[in-house]
Amino acid sequence: MTPHDQLLIDIVARLRVRPSDRRELAAAVNLSPEQLDEAAAELRGFGYALDVAHDRIALTETPDRMIDTEILAGLQTAIFARQLHCYGTIRSTNVRARELAEAGAPDGTVVVAEQQTGGIGRFGRPWHSAAGLGIWSTVILRPPGPPEKVSGLSLLAGVVFAQTVEEELGLTVGLKWPNDGLIDGKKVIGILTELATESGNVEYAVCGTGINVAHTATDFPPELREIAASLAMAKGEPVGRMAFYRAFLRRFDTHYRHFRNEGIGPFLSDYRDRSILLGRDVTIQQGKKTITGRAVAIDDSGALVIRSGSDDILVFSGEATLHPR
C-alpha cells in the first residue's frame, strides 16, 4: 500500500465517524485545504459522495466496491490485509495469490477481486464470480509445520464464515465437509485451500473463499439455481458486502493466530456442531475411488471418519455426497 492510498483510507475513516471542518480535517491528515480538495475529488471518482457546505465536509454515501478504501476503513487486524491487492477483473484470486506467494508475499496478504473470469472451485470446476454480487477473495498464509498440521485450514475458514453469518445476520450455516457452507440446504460459500511444501513443511497456503452475497436467483446460471443461494436471498433483504467482509476478515485474523500455534483442534467442536454430514450416509469421491458409508466423526486432525461395514475409514480429502434420508 502506498502512502497516498493510506491517506485516502484515513480521510474516509475520519469521515465515517462524523462530518468535519474542512481545514481541521486537512490539518489532521497533514494536507493543505487545497490538497484535501484534490483528495476529495479522487474519492468521488471512486464512487464516494461527499457534501461540502459552509466549509464542512461530510461523507453521505460509500461505494459497494472491492477497493482498499472500503475494505481497510475501520478494519483492525494483526496479520490479515497488511498487504492488500484489489482487482476489478482477474482470472482467479487463487492463481494471483500463488504468484504473489512465490514472489515472497507475507503471511496474511489478501487478494480480492470484483469479478473473476476463471474462478476455480474444487477439482478445477468453474466458480461463478459475477461483478458486484459476491466476495471473491484469497488470503496467503504461512503457518509453520508439516502439511498434516495445516490441513484443517478449509475447516477453519468454514467455522469463520458460519460464526460471522450467525453474528452479523442471525442466520444458521451448515458446514459440508470439507469446503462448503450452506444455508437452508443451498451453497453460499465455497472454500479452496492449496498448499505448497518444501522439505516436508508448508511453504505457504492460499485459502480462497467465494461468498455469494447479493445474488437473486436469476443471477445464477440455470444449472445452479436449485443448489446455490446468497446471503441476501437467505436473509430476505440486502446484505452489505463491505461490512460483512470486514467482519469476516477480523474473525479469520483472530482465529488464524490461534491456529498457527494450536492447529485445528480448538475449532473442531464448532465445526462438528454445524456439520451436515455427521450421522448421515454419504459417498466420498476421490478421483476414481469411491467410499460409501456413514459419516460418524470428524477426528482431531479434521479428517472425516466413514464407517463402512465393520471398518472405520479416515478420509482426508474428497467430494462428499449425501444420500437421501
Side-chain angles (χ1 to χ4, degrees), residues 77 99 110 124 149 190 229 242 251 255 296 325:
T77 52
E99 294 170 348
V110 170
K149 180 184 175 183
M242 296 302 101
R251 189 179 298 273
H255 284 3
V296 295
R325 289 187 184 275

Side-chain angles (χ1 to χ4, degrees), residues 101-102 104 142-148 150 195-205:
E102 291 288 348
R142 297 187 182 274
E148 53 269 24
V150 180
L195 303 181
T197 61
E198 183 176 353
S199 302
N201 286 313
V202 172
E203 182 183 3
Y204 65 83

Side-chain angles (χ1 to χ4, degrees), residues 231-254:
L231 295 177
M233 291 167 64
K235 184 68 174 174
E237 61 187 51
V239 173
R241 287 192 302 162
M242 296 302 101
F244 184 85
Y245 188 45
R246 287 191 294 267
F248 176 80
L249 285 179
R250 284 194 294 268
R251 189 179 298 273
F252 205 167
D253 178 84
T254 298

Side-chain angles (χ1 to χ4, degrees), residues 10 18 34 56 66-67 70 74 81 105 110 118 124 133 140 163 167 176 206 208 213 228 233 256 268 282 300 319 323:
D10 289 346
R18 62 180 180 276
E34 293 74 23
R56 298 281 288 176
M66 288 288 174
I67 52 178
E70 278 301 287
V110 170
L133 298 178
I140 298 169
Q163 291 178 347
E167 182 170 311
K176 180 171 175 276
V206 296
V213 179
M233 291 167 64
Y256 173 66
L268 283 176
V282 301
D300 289 345
E319 182 174 18
H323 294 189

